[in-house]
Amino acid sequence: YLQYVVESRPTFFTVWLGNADLLQFVTSGGTRPLTEVGTFSANVKLLFDALAEQGARGVVTNLPNPTLVPLLMRPSELAAYRKDTFTPYWITTGAGEIRPATDEDRILMSADSIGFLTRSGFPKGFFKIAPLGNDDVLDADELDRVQQATAAYNATLTGEAGARSWPVLDANALFQKTKTGYLDFYGNRVETDFIRDGQLLSDSIYSVDGLHPNARGHALLANEFIAVINKVYQAQIPILNLSQFEGPRLAR
């Protein structure tokens, strides 16, 4: 890809680099490794140097906190969503400890084996003898690890962009705001969660996999890029009205 960037001789760019490095850890329940900070930093510098050598200008964005994605649910949220009255959930941590989950942990919404009978005859997740596997859970220590990696990656992105006088879109702050509800440029409400009290929220910026933005989410991000481009480069690109872009919906 670096060779492609050089050969394409770009004049303008947007860079959003590093999400996959974080999300491969999150979606695997912490069983897939995080990219080493040194490796990430070296690769960012290579890419940014290649862009700078072309004389290109553009916008860099930092990385949102990946633990905010709807795929990750507090045990209390999961119990309300599933309407489970028999709790706590038992989990296996990354360190191999079997213990009850607390609201400092996150259980993947994709952990669809909860309640299935194991060979021992116990429903999975509800007994110490049949805990959820580590790949179904991000325990408190794993959450801390991925948040530390996010901060380190963002420090690299911001520092390398600043050294070249490139503007940085603060996607981390944007997604923090959508977690509690956020009004966009047109006054449209957008939020992170897409299920509340068992109901699908049409204002959510995520698709029903709990991981990827839907059409409305991508339009929101496009507007944030446009706002930075218009301000820094004195452009006049019109922004999008999010009401024209569909939120999440279940297949019929």
Side-chain angles (χ1 to χ4, degrees):
Y1 186 77
L2 186 63
Q3 182 180 355
Y4 169 78
V5 168
V6 173
E7 292 176 350
S8 66
R9 302 188 64 81
T11 58
F12 195 85
F13 62 83
T14 57
V15 172
W16 192 349
L17 189 68
N19 257 346
D21 299 79
L22 298 171
L23 292 178
Q24 69 177 4
F25 181 86
V26 169
T27 57
S28 70
T31 60
R32 294 183 65 185
L34 285 161
T35 302
E36 292 291 335
V37 173
T39 300
F40 181 84
S41 299
N43 287 335
V44 166
K45 189 175 187 309
L46 284 172
L47 176 62
F48 284 17
D49 282 346
L51 290 167
E53 287 169 6
Q54 307 292 320
R57 303 289 289 169
V59 179
V60 175
T61 181
N62 65 12
L63 300 169
N65 181 351
T67 68
L68 297 180
V69 295
L71 177 71
L72 300 179
M73 303 184 77
R74 287 183 171 85
S76 58
E77 294 171 331
L78 183 65
Y81 168 60
R82 288 174 43 87
K83 297 180 172 55
D84 286 330
T85 57
F86 187 68
T87 54
Y89 299 109
W90 285 82
I91 64 171
T92 306
T93 69
E97 178 188 5
I98 297 175
R99 61 168 174 80
T102 73
D103 267 8
E104 299 301 311
D105 307 306
R106 299 291 185 272
I107 298 175
L108 273 66
M109 189 178 61
S110 55
D112 54 6
S113 61
I114 296 176
F116 279 51
L117 293 182
T118 63
R119 291 182 179 180
S120 60
F122 289 87
K124 190 171 184 180
F126 295 107
F127 292 89
K128 185 176 183 178
I129 197 173
L132 294 175
N134 181 41
D135 58 345
D136 284 330
V137 177
L138 271 185
D139 62 62
D141 290 338
E142 291 168 332
L143 285 170
D144 185 59
R145 283 177 59 197
V146 75
Q147 287 169 337
Q148 287 185 30
T150 304
Y153 293 176
N154 280 343
T156 292
L157 291 163
T158 302
E160 293 291 344
R164 297 163 178 81
S165 300
W166 295 341
V168 177
L169 188 164
D170 193 353
N172 194 23
L174 172 66
F175 278 76
Q176 292 283 354
K177 288 188 289 188
T178 63
K179 183 65 178 177
T180 54
Y182 169 63
L183 296 180
D184 81 327
F185 302 104
Y186 277 98
N188 296 301
R189 179 181 170 83
V190 290
E191 53 191 307
T192 298
D193 295 338
F194 62 80
I195 291 177
R196 185 174 300 138
D197 300 327
Q199 300 297 314
L200 202 63
L201 301 176
S202 61
D203 297 331
S204 177
I205 60 172
Y206 280 94
S207 60
V208 292
D209 67 356
L211 188 63
H212 296 96
N214 57 33
R216 182 166 296 176
H218 281 295
L220 173 69
L221 289 165
N223 278 347
E224 297 295 324
F225 273 106
I226 289 169
V228 174
I229 292 168
N230 285 349
K231 179 180 179 180
V232 175
Y233 297 108
Q234 290 78 54
Q236 295 182 346
I237 305 171
I239 60 173
L240 306 168
N241 188 334
L242 299 195
S243 66
Q244 299 175 0
F245 295 85
E246 192 171 46
R249 63 183 177 88
L250 296 174
R252 295 176 180 174

